[in-house]
Amino acid sequence: MAPTATLLLLLPLVGYLFVLMMGPALKEKVLGAIATGVVAASFILAVVTFFMVLHRSNREVTIHLFNWINVGSLHVPAALLVDPLSITMCLFVTGISALIHLYSIGYMHGEKDFRKFFLYLNLFVFSMLLLVLANNLLLTFVGWEGVGVCSYWLVSYYFTKDSAASAGKKAFLYNRVGDFGLLIAMFLLFHHTHTLNYLGIFHVAGTLSPTVATLTVLALLLAATGKSAQIPLFNWLPDAMEGPTPVSALIHAATMVTAGVYLLVRMSPVLTMSADGRAAIAVIGGLTAFVAATIATSQQDIKKVLAFSTVSQIGYMVLAVGVGAYSAAIFLMVAHAFYKALLFLGAGSVIHSLDGEQDLRKMGGLAKYLPLTFPALMVGWLAIIGIPPFSGFFAKGDVLTKVFADNKFLWALGVVTAILTAYYMTRLFVLTFRGTERFREEKDRHDPHESPWVMTLPLVVLSVLAIIGGIIDLPWAHASSLAGFLNPVFGYVPAVAAASTTEQWVLAAVDVVAALIGLAAAFTIWHDLTVGERFESKFLEHVWYWDDAYDATIGRPLTEVAVFSDTVVEPQVIDGAVTGVAVAIRNSAEGLRKIQSGFVRQYALAMVMGFAVIIVYLVARVH
């Protein structure tokens, strides 16, 4: 297993290095094929590793690569932990990423920095695999920072645009706040457990005091809010839509935003030690899911609707973690990867057909022009709103069922969020494909066209996965389901209270009714939209004025502080102190210079007088 798992991790890095060195000499298609091929090969190795893990009695395998840090009591190896959780993450990370790489060959065709784009993609995938395969928190942190810096490069890919450059900086800074939380958690855990190894921490997690456990969990939550875009650090993610659409799909579906949820799930034994910490996680997840869903109802940019949708769906996962439903969180993460990648790539196909247009108000009637993209996006739409038998129905239903058993208020909030999800996704679908052809209002715009096969093939594959993805964790097949496979990872975590069979059927019916209510409302409002009509809230369109609040309470005050420091503190205090010392030394030097005549006779006279004073002093002391 060691060679397979190690190669699984290293192949994207090998692709990155090869494209870096040989890329200038390669044609676009060859370069894209190599970058895509290494990730696809990594996926194949992930499948092989999965079957190796599946047929082992001990499903936790540590693969030691080399000694890394050995300072005092800090011993951190470079080692991999291959277990059901890490290999599940590897499967969908490499699988979805390979499809996004293939799609990018067509989408980025003709771009000036085509090679650089694939360099970043390969490095992004390597960093995410390192994050999920690491057997200790410090090595995870290396991957954590890797996906952070790659997201900065990719979000600000069109860096000559001020909006893209600002979005990249915003993502970078918000994630640094989350990094602070992860570092604090690492310091606390090392101080109290004397190890950063996951298995070592888990073995002694029960000895943590309630206070230390709660502080650690809250620090981990801060880390997750930054990386997975949860309240209060969620508003960097919509701005990340400034990057190319394949980047949006990669960040939202397969890599970066799932990292925070993975971290919380991986640290589940520590979370178990703090009921207050888990409650905070559940509240943050539930509120984020609801708030982001309300905002998505009023966005005009097709990618921003999907971005806030991701924030909301990740909120569901965090909510599941908060109530201890770790397997349900991973199930939704996998299903979400299928349909969210499909939705983003489908949106990219729409944008590609309209020469870069992203405004929903300038679309409409595209169904007949996009015979493959239209049904693909329909599948993604039905999956995310939770219509059976699509994957979202089972995955989101599993989360809400577990939440119902733990907290009725958060369950009700989740159901309302499901209604909003159905509403804003139906609105997106209708405004894109139904109604009048509003894109005709633009002068000199040709008819929309379907995307090339390298872009539509991933849509077909993802459509199939979004349809059948629910079978990996059907509620009546737990012995051979995803939950059963993950059981060794969560076996020592207290089980979540299970709903009765009757309750499960009723809750499933409620989920379907919620989806239908949102769907019907959106169809009623948007099916015959007339130009000039408006049904969106300015408050929601401006993201609850969240950015404005941060600007007023943090951005502007800190700007004033910076200006004051630049105009007063630095020139008058800092420079003044330095200048004052220099002036004092100069003045003292000028005073001393006056007694330096340069005549030897004066110096001799001064020496004689000095000796005389000393002799008089000594004689006086004797007498």
Side-chain angles (χ1 to χ4, degrees), residues 119 133 170 176 221 241 263 275 300 305 318 385 394 431 472 480 557 565 618:
L119 277 173
L133 282 169
K170 185 175 182 180
R176 296 297 72 74
L221 174 59
M241 298 303 97
L263 177 68
Q300 307 295 349
V305 175
V318 174
I385 69 175
F394 295 103
L431 289 180
I472 66 176
S480 57
S565 298
L618 293 174

Side-chain angles (χ1 to χ4, degrees), residues 585-607:
I585 293 174
R586 184 186 64 190
N587 291 338
S588 63
E590 288 178 350
L592 291 172
R593 188 174 62 183
K594 293 177 180 179
I595 64 173
Q596 298 293 322
S597 65
F599 295 109
V600 175
R601 60 180 177 272
Q602 291 183 356
Y603 299 155
L605 178 61
M607 291 174 64

Side-chain angles (χ1 to χ4, degrees), residues 39-62:
V39 180
S42 191
F43 169 69
I44 294 171
L45 291 174
V47 174
V48 173
T49 307
F50 164 75
F51 283 107
M52 290 180 178
V53 171
L54 189 64
H55 291 94
R56 287 179 61 95
S57 57
N58 176 18
R59 292 183 175 178
E60 289 181 342
V61 180
T62 298

Side-chain angles (χ1 to χ4, degrees), residues 50 53-54 59 83-85 87-88 478-489:
F50 164 75
V53 171
L54 189 64
R59 292 183 175 178
D83 67 355
L85 177 57
I87 199 60
T88 298
H478 281 300
S480 57
S481 65
L482 177 63
F485 179 64
L486 293 173
N487 187 61
V489 180

